Amino acid sequence: MAERVTALMDKPERIRNIGIVAHIDHGKTTLSDNLLAGAGMISMELAGKQLFMDFDPLEQARGITIDSANVSMVHEFKGEEYLINMIDTPGHVDFGGDVTRAMRAVDGAVVVVDAVEGAMPQTETVLRQALKENVHPVLFVNKVDRLLNELKVDKQEMQLRLGKLIDNINKLIRGMNEEKYKAGWRVDASEGSVAFGSALYNWAISVPQMKSTGIGFGEVYDYCQAGDMKTLAERCPLYVAVNDMVIRFLPSPLKAQKERVGVIWHGDKKSKLYQSMESCDPSGPVAFMVTDISVDPHAGEVATGRIFSGTLERGMELSISGVAKPNRVQQTGIFMGADRIEVEHIPAGNIAAVTGLRDAFVGSTVSSDRDATPFEDIKHVSEPVVTVAVEAKNTRDLPKLVEVLRQVAKEDPTLNININEETGEHLMAGMGELHLEIVAYRIQRDKGVEITTSPPIVVYRESITGKTSGAVEGKSPNHHNRFYIEIEPLELDVVDAIKSGEVSMKMEELERRNILISKGMDKEEARNISGIFESNVFINMTKGVQYLRETMELMLEGFVEATKNGPICREPVQGVKAKLMDIKLHEDAIHRGPAQVIPAVRQAVQAGILMATPTLLEPFQNVFIQVPQEQMGGAMSEIQGRRGMILSMETEGDMIIIKAKAPVSELFGFAGAIRGATEGRSLWSTEFAGFEPIPPAAMVETVRQIRGRKGLKTEMPKPSDYLKA
């Protein structure tokens, strides 16, 4: 197989880079098995049961995909061979970061949907991620046999249900990106961009295939009724329908990069690098985007990613964005599930695995051009909401634990590691309980460090609802410099634009200003933004101040320190606008160094936040519950007893679909409780829903608890605590 793959690597028009995405348990890995069996990499008898892409023992034990897995295979279509680089992604909401990163490496996505459950919340999320990265979707409706065997529908009802499901997916695509929808990105069964089948029983049909095999919905219905899945799988093998659809409808790198590069790279469009990426030129400068880092016990760190331009070869010296020293490539290869196969060189348009890039992290841009503009940062849909404290069981493992935590944070960017040198506390924040549980298990299993973790704690954010009456004065310790700063809430639309990556300091000033004004920011303020950190902005409203430019870096540093650990209880600050109104600086550079400027700005910002009606924000999750009507009461009271709000209820057959939202702090142990309340008859899932202010009644108690846990004074701090006389 490796030889056939290498033979096709240089022909970008015959390459397809695809991701398999779906809600949890809709059959992505089972589908991948069929495609691998079709390529002759695993046996047909085992396809659908072997789950080849879930090669980690933990994934097999839990029956879910945790990591994205890559594989390259060859498929024949109309007498020509095509190379398909496939990434099988996880469906569980806690591992959504893997999906976002995989979307950067691929050009097309096979969206898998369960015929009975239809489009679920996570289906929406993965579709949105694909469209945001300009990745073209096609649809595979899985588990069609369930419609017949479990719901006992007749031929007509079956077609109606499938039609409704396709309309639903198109409605989602249209709602997320009208322009792409009109440009032909909708899925259409009659054209062939939808396939129907059962990955477990290895069969699938699509309209073009019905014409060639003569097997339509009627025949499928009869085979399923007779329980003869084997003949059906022989006559309409799944891999043929899906791979044909992939090759016909999903773009090759040549076509895709023309559309995608402008979205994910904001450098000079006249540069050689841009033109080389757009034309997918193997002889151009190297541009490699790292989307995944894993550790091989023998070869060290392996960086996997997409080559947009140039050719990767062993021994090349490449620069990594943000790192001064170049790194030397030791090996280049491709992934075949769990195995990495070495290849001499890998040209543009392929997905490659490279060792030797020690300084690379997920999201790095690796290039042969030292001054290359990096790719747009990968923006994750949800933020870390749950934290655990990690301790080494044996004191001798302490130095190793710090090393291991840094390594884990490098491999998984959705993990937030905070190592406090002063208190010796190590905090690990992740997407949910399962995410942290699995990381903790792997630290012990793969890195050999025995650890204990605390019960999960929720991550809060600090913010404000009012503004300061006039400027707050921050004095430097030597009293020679004074900073006058006003604090007010940042417009909500601006906060959203910063979080989604629509606005950043990397953009051209004019473009950034226009977006900010359209989001409701004052024109003068939008023009004078000096720094953006997380979702807070620092604005310089002064005029004609001497020595301002050389002090600005230090002021921004003070601002970052103040918003990283907010004044209320040292949690991150969000949605704050700090305006520098006036400034008095000492003319001698010695008297306005870092030790003077940083603390003065930090104290002014922290005191200002406390004067502007401070509040705590807590993370919320949307909760979706499907439950039979007679069990509805149990599910409702379970949500309402956890400070939850019911947002909507719909009836579908004898099932009720409840959409609600509840604070993350109340959702610990929800899985067991909802099973008990509904006699185990409910299906549920959650997704991140942002941060909302905590009820004023609970604020004082929550602040006291957090400050107590962090070893701070338990009373609510006052502005005077920060303004030193």
Side-chain angles (χ1 to χ4, degrees):
M1 178 52 78
E3 284 167 15
R4 290 170 68 197
V5 167
T6 356
L8 287 167
M9 272 186 180
D10 302 331
K11 305 187 175 78
E13 69 285 352
R14 292 221 215 137
I15 298 176
R16 299 290 182 271
N17 295 312
I18 63 164
I20 311 268
V21 296
H23 187 80
I24 187 164
D25 276 343
H26 278 196
K28 294 175 293 299
T29 308
T30 321
L31 172 75
S32 312
D33 264 16
N34 276 284
L35 302 184
L36 291 169
M41 292 167 74
I42 61 175
S43 84
M44 264 302 179
E45 278 70 54
L46 288 175
K49 300 173 199 65
Q50 184 176 349
L51 302 180
F52 178 80
M53 302 295 265
D54 285 352
F55 43 78
D56 187 310
L58 192 59
E59 294 180 309
Q60 290 160 6
R62 288 184 179 243
I64 59 170
T65 303
I66 295 169
D67 301 314
S68 292
N70 300 32
V71 68
S72 301
M73 55 193 174
V74 176
H75 174 69
E76 202 169 294
F77 175 66
K78 292 192 175 166
E80 294 210 338
E81 289 199 328
Y82 285 82
L83 166 61
I84 296 180
N85 295 318
M86 177 180 79
I87 303 183
D88 177 31
T89 66
H92 194 288
V93 61
D94 280 17
F95 309 110
D98 270 55
V99 185
T100 313
R101 298 192 286 278
M103 287 300 115
R104 179 60 62 93
V106 299
D107 303 318
V110 178
V111 181
V112 184
V113 177
D114 183 321
V116 175
E117 291 180 11
M120 296 285 279
Q122 200 58 19
T123 318
E124 265 184 62
T125 309
V126 294
L127 247 179
R128 186 173 288 116
Q129 286 166 314
L131 293 173
K132 196 171 160 204
E133 286 279 345
N134 244 4
V135 168
H136 199 303
V138 291
L139 179 65
F140 177 68
V141 182
N142 193 16
K143 309 193 187 184
V144 173
D145 52 307
R146 278 186 67 189
L147 283 175
L148 316 179
N149 303 342
E150 293 174 29
L151 301 185
K152 309 283 185 226
V153 299
D154 56 26
K155 289 184 187 179
Q156 202 162 0
E157 167 79 349
M158 171 168 120
Q159 295 204 28
L160 279 173
R161 272 181 173 253
L162 294 173
K164 203 167 135 192
L165 196 149
I166 297 169
D167 291 344
N168 207 347
I169 294 285
N170 278 326
K171 204 164 100 189
L172 289 177
I173 295 176
R174 188 176 191 157
M176 289 169 198
N177 196 328
E178 180 101 18
E179 171 186 320
K180 287 269 178 279
Y181 177 83
K182 286 180 177 157
W185 282 43
R186 49 192 294 258
V187 291
D188 186 340
S190 59
E191 280 184 9
S193 55
V194 182
F196 309 89
S198 163
L200 185 61
Y201 296 113
N202 319 12
W203 63 268
I205 56 168
S206 62
V207 174
Q209 249 200 317
M210 291 179 194
K211 291 172 187 160
S212 61
T213 57
I215 291 184
F217 284 115
E219 289 76 8
V220 164
Y221 190 89
D222 299 337
Y223 275 122
C224 288
Q225 286 293 65
D228 185 4
M229 297 286 188
K230 208 167 166 116
T231 315
L232 191 53
E234 281 164 13
R235 294 191 60 186
C236 312
L238 181 140
Y239 73 92
V240 176
V242 173
N243 280 341
D244 286 4
M245 174 169 79
V246 161
I247 288 164
R248 277 188 56 199
F249 290 95
L250 296 184
S252 69
L254 279 181
K255 185 175 170 218
Q257 289 188 194
K258 280 188 178 55
E259 294 177 9
R260 291 193 65 207
V261 172
V263 177
I264 56 177
W265 192 77
H266 293 307
D268 175 13
K269 297 201 168 173
K270 295 189 179 69
S271 65
K272 189 178 173 198
L273 184 61
Y274 181 84
Q275 285 159 3
S276 161
M277 285 198 283
E278 214 182 28
S279 58
C280 192
D281 179 5
S283 54
V286 172
F288 175 62
M289 168 92 198
V290 180
T291 58
D292 188 48
I293 285 186
S294 52
V295 174
D296 180 316
H298 310 296
E301 281 180 19
V302 183
T304 311
R306 169 72 180 264
I307 311 173
F308 284 95
S309 151
T311 301
L312 281 180
E313 288 174 15
R314 191 184 312 158
M316 282 182 122
E317 286 224 331
L318 298 173
S319 299
I320 295 169
S321 53
V323 179
K325 269 198 342 235
N327 284 199
R328 187 180 289 277
V329 175
Q330 283 166 353
Q331 293 173 335
T332 52
I334 51 171
F335 265 113
M336 294 285 187
D339 306 316
R340 198 173 84 255
I341 291 162
E342 270 197 63
V343 182
E344 281 304 308
H345 65 275
I346 305 180
N350 284 284
I351 294 175
V354 186
T355 60
L357 303 177
R358 273 198 320 279
D359 297 322
F361 53 90
V362 172
S364 300
T365 303
V366 180
S367 176
S368 51
D369 175 0
R370 266 203 67 170
D371 308 313
T373 310
F375 284 101
E376 190 60 18
D377 291 344
I378 297 177
K379 282 276 178 282
H380 293 103
V381 178
S382 74
E383 303 177 35
V385 289
V386 182
T387 303
V388 292
V390 182
E391 286 176 8
K393 269 191 186 162
N394 306 316
T395 342
R396 63 165 189 275
D397 282 341
L398 258 174
K400 193 173 173 191
L401 176 64
V402 173
E403 191 48 47
V404 163
L405 285 174
R406 291 204 169 116
Q407 181 65 49
V408 170
K410 196 171 179 182
E411 287 172 43
D412 183 352
T414 48
L415 210 59
N416 211 334
I417 303 279
N418 190 351
I419 298 173
N420 189 333
E421 306 283 351
E422 292 167 26
T423 59
E425 187 181 40
H426 307 123
L427 295 177
M428 189 161 78
M431 298 288 163
E433 290 177 88
L434 180 68
H435 186 198
L436 293 174
E437 193 183 314
I438 285 186
V439 172
Y441 176 82
R442 285 187 170 171
I443 287 176
Q444 308 200 49
R445 183 194 70 185
D446 302 342
K447 321 277 191 215
V449 178
E450 292 217 352
I451 55 169
T452 55
T453 56
S454 69
I457 319 155
V458 173
V459 181
Y460 289 88
R461 294 275 188 277
E462 300 183 14
S463 193
I464 52 174
T465 53
K467 49 171 151 187
T468 51
S469 53
V472 181
E473 180 188 57
K475 297 187 199 123
S476 62
N478 63 9
H479 292 259
H480 289 318
N481 307 283
R482 288 163 195 255
F483 303 88
Y484 297 90
I485 294 174
E486 282 184 13
I487 299 285
E488 57 184 71
L490 188 56
E491 292 79 3
L492 286 175
D493 288 351
V494 176
V495 174
D496 293 341
I498 293 173
K499 282 190 172 176
S500 67
E502 204 182 327
V503 172
S504 72
M505 289 308 282
K506 284 185 191 161
M507 299 165 70
E508 285 186 9
E509 199 228 343
L510 189 68
E511 190 186 346
R512 183 175 64 233
R513 186 179 3 165
N514 291 340
I515 295 176
L516 288 170
I517 295 171
S518 74
K519 300 283 178 200
M521 193 183 243
D522 176 75
K523 198 169 172 183
E524 195 60 23
E525 291 177 2
R527 216 179 72 206
N528 292 315
I529 283 194
S530 302
I532 296 176
F533 175 67
E534 300 292 333
S535 53
N536 309 294
V537 298
F538 190 79
I539 301 175
N540 167 29
M541 300 295 277
T542 58
K543 294 271 188 295
V545 175
Q546 263 188 320
Y547 321 121
L548 180 74
R549 288 185 70 166
E550 56 208 77
T551 342
M552 188 45 91
E553 278 299 300
L554 299 174
M555 287 193 277
L556 286 174
E557 219 163 296
F559 175 65
V560 168
E561 278 185 23
T563 49
K564 229 180 193 166
N565 297 309
I568 308 173
C569 44
R570 303 272 172 89
E571 295 280 299
V573 174
Q574 146 173 336
V576 164
K577 184 198 289 181
K579 300 198 290 192
L580 180 70
M581 304 310 284
D582 194 10
I583 176 172
K584 294 190 170 61
L585 292 171
H586 196 285
E587 59 230 32
D588 191 346
I590 269 179
H591 294 302
R592 47 165 208 273
Q596 306 299 332
V597 176
I598 295 175
V601 173
R602 183 180 65 221
Q603 286 158 8
V605 172
Q606 287 179 322
I609 289 173
L610 291 175
M611 291 177 186
T613 330
T615 177
L616 270 188
L617 306 176
E618 58 178 343
F620 269 71
Q621 278 183 328
N622 287 331
V623 185
F624 304 88
I625 306 173
Q626 279 187 335
V627 62
Q629 284 180 345
E630 62 270 22
Q631 304 293 346
M632 184 180 93
M636 300 265 288
S637 58
E638 197 48 60
I639 278 285
Q640 284 160 339
R642 294 170 179 266
R643 285 200 292 132
M645 280 160 53
I646 307 284
L647 300 175
S648 69
M649 287 171 68
E650 289 170 19
T651 317
E652 212 170 85
D654 57 347
M655 296 294 271
I656 301 271
I657 298 168
I658 302 172
K659 183 180 176 191
K661 69 173 179 187
V664 173
S665 56
E666 302 282 343
L667 287 174
F668 292 132
F670 182 68
I674 188 95
R675 271 191 216 113
T678 59
E679 297 175 14
R681 292 180 64 198
S682 58
L683 274 173
W684 65 283
S685 64
T686 58
E687 69 176 6
F688 180 65
F691 285 86
E692 293 188 15
I694 195 166
M699 166 117 168
V700 177
E701 187 45 41
T702 311
V703 169
R704 184 177 293 142
Q705 278 176 3
I706 301 174
R707 289 182 70 89
R709 191 181 79 228
K710 293 186 174 181
L712 307 165
K713 276 195 327 213
T714 52
E715 355 7 304
M716 177 86 180
K718 298 185 284 297
S720 54
D721 297 350
Y722 289 99
L723 292 174
K724 301 288 181 284

